[in-house]
Amino acid sequence: QVLLNDTENGTVVVGGNVTFWVTTNNVTFDSGTFNTTQSNGLSNYYFNPTCSYLVGDQVWRAGTTDSRYIILNTTNMSLRVIANFIVNMTSPSPGQNVTRGNNVTIRINLTDECISPVTTATIAFNYTQTSTTFGCTQVNNETGGYYNCTFNTSALPTRYWNISTNATKTFYNTITNLSVNAFFIQTLPFFETAPNVTPALGGWGETFTFTVNVSDADLDSVTVYLWEKALGAGTWNSLGTQVISGVNQTVTIQKSNYDIPDIGVREYFFNASDVRGFVANTSVRNFTLEKDDVSV
């Protein structure tokens, strides 16, 4: 804003032509923006820098460009162009599954509103789950506005994690960008105990109870199958399934309809399959069917 005075008659200039100039690179002025003075002698220029203006300190001035008045410019004055960050996360992809124990690489592309790469910003990455927060300490500055950091997931709890990116640089507005459910720590199902059958030796008419404890720490639904066959036979038979979710869950499947031809040593094992396609098997164990007890 400038005030234009007519020093000959001691009044403000109304409707006088004024031009404002701003440097684009702190040295070279733009072509100028024209305006006129109001009834109070003031002329305003609402400067909204485009991508033609470099980020940082610039210089502006205003002057008369009216044939009724001599040409006179203000002294050079300072202004500062501030940019905003735009954060584009390229890794991990949203909700990416990561098997616990593997590494996760956080990688972003940092630009300003003009899609110009920001190459020398200070970047901090954090990954959080509820009240647990870890920092990724070794941030690497790539070329072209890319930054990355890699960490291992062995000690992380399962399920979803958020990633926050904090970017700072002189002449830029500090930003904290949050990526919700950025990645998912998954685990494979596994058997907490060896399979067991009760009784391990019993008559073919008894009820046999097969048990095993199963865990999947990421709380997936796990389908547990029981397989059985005669020792040396080629084909496994399914004795039933049970669906569990959680840690150290007990699976119990019973069979009570064996028949006389089934007498002898038999084999069995459990198989677990979660919704992510991970599979686990127990070892194969034996039990024996004998003749039924009778009383006379």
Side-chain angles (χ1 to χ4, degrees), residues 6-293:
D6 186 330
T7 57
E8 296 288 345
N9 58 25
T11 62
V12 297
V13 174
V14 178
N17 297 332
V18 176
T19 299
F20 294 84
W21 296 273
V22 181
T23 58
T24 58
N25 57 4
N26 194 250
V27 176
T28 305
F29 283 92
D30 60 17
S31 58
T33 299
F34 174 81
N35 206 348
T36 58
T37 57
Q38 306 167 42
S39 59
N40 56 5
L42 294 174
S43 181
N44 300 322
Y45 173 31
Y46 297 96
F47 175 61
N48 184 18
T50 66
C51 295
S52 299
Y53 298 85
L54 296 182
V55 173
D57 291 325
Q58 300 293 350
V59 173
W60 73 277
R61 67 186 177 206
T64 54
T65 50
D66 193 313
S67 60
R68 297 169 295 172
Y69 300 94
I70 64 170
I71 302 301
L72 181 67
N73 292 336
T74 65
T75 58
N76 288 347
M77 288 167 280
S78 298
L79 61 81
R80 177 166 290 177
V81 176
I82 302 296
N84 292 310
F85 291 117
I86 297 176
V87 179
N88 178 35
M89 184 170 293
T90 63
S91 175
S93 56
Q96 178 178 321
N97 292 324
V98 180
T99 303
R100 186 159 61 184
N102 291 343
N103 289 342
V104 171
T105 296
I106 303 172
R107 187 172 188 259
I108 65 165
N109 178 237
L110 191 65
T111 64
D112 60 19
E113 306 99 315
C114 301
I115 318 301
S116 298
V118 182
T119 57
T120 57
T122 300
I123 304 297
F125 294 122
N126 290 316
Y127 44 103
T128 62
Q129 185 188 74
T130 57
S131 59
T132 302
T133 299
F134 296 98
C136 195
T137 55
Q138 188 61 48
V139 178
N140 301 306
N141 186 349
E142 305 178 29
T143 58
Y146 285 91
Y147 301 80
N148 72 74
C149 187
T150 300
F151 60 92
N152 187 266
T153 62
S154 296
L156 297 187
T158 60
R159 309 286 295 171
Y160 283 106
W161 286 79
N162 303 328
I163 293 176
S164 64
T165 302
N166 181 269
T168 59
K169 185 180 179 179
T170 304
F171 306 130
Y172 287 78
N173 289 318
T174 297
I175 188 174
T176 298
N177 183 75
L178 180 64
S179 178
V180 178
N181 294 342
F183 61 96
F184 184 96
I185 298 296
Q186 63 185 8
T187 54
L188 283 64
F190 66 96
F191 292 95
E192 298 273 5
T193 60
N196 182 67
V197 60
T198 303
L201 173 64
W204 55 267
E206 297 187 49
T207 296
F208 291 81
T209 301
F210 300 85
T211 60
V212 73
N213 282 27
V214 187
S215 290
D216 197 340
D218 61 16
L219 308 182
D220 285 335
S221 292
V222 179
T223 304
V224 182
Y225 303 83
L226 174 61
W227 301 92
E228 182 265 8
K229 69 180 180 66
L231 180 64
T235 302
W236 289 95
N237 305 305
S238 175
L239 296 190
T241 64
Q242 188 174 327
V243 178
I244 61 95
S245 177
V247 176
N248 204 22
Q249 300 294 304
T250 300
V251 173
T252 301
I253 297 176
Q254 293 182 320
K255 181 174 174 60
S256 59
N257 58 348
Y258 283 111
D259 207 346
I260 296 171
D262 298 322
I263 289 175
V265 178
R266 305 190 68 83
E267 300 177 296
Y268 72 99
F269 76 98
F270 285 93
N271 164 266
S273 176
D274 69 8
V275 294
R276 301 175 186 277
F278 294 121
V279 176
N281 296 324
T282 68
S283 59
V284 176
R285 308 195 80 177
N286 296 339
F287 67 104
T288 302
L289 295 183
E290 62 179 359
K291 296 177 181 181
D292 265 0
D293 296 330

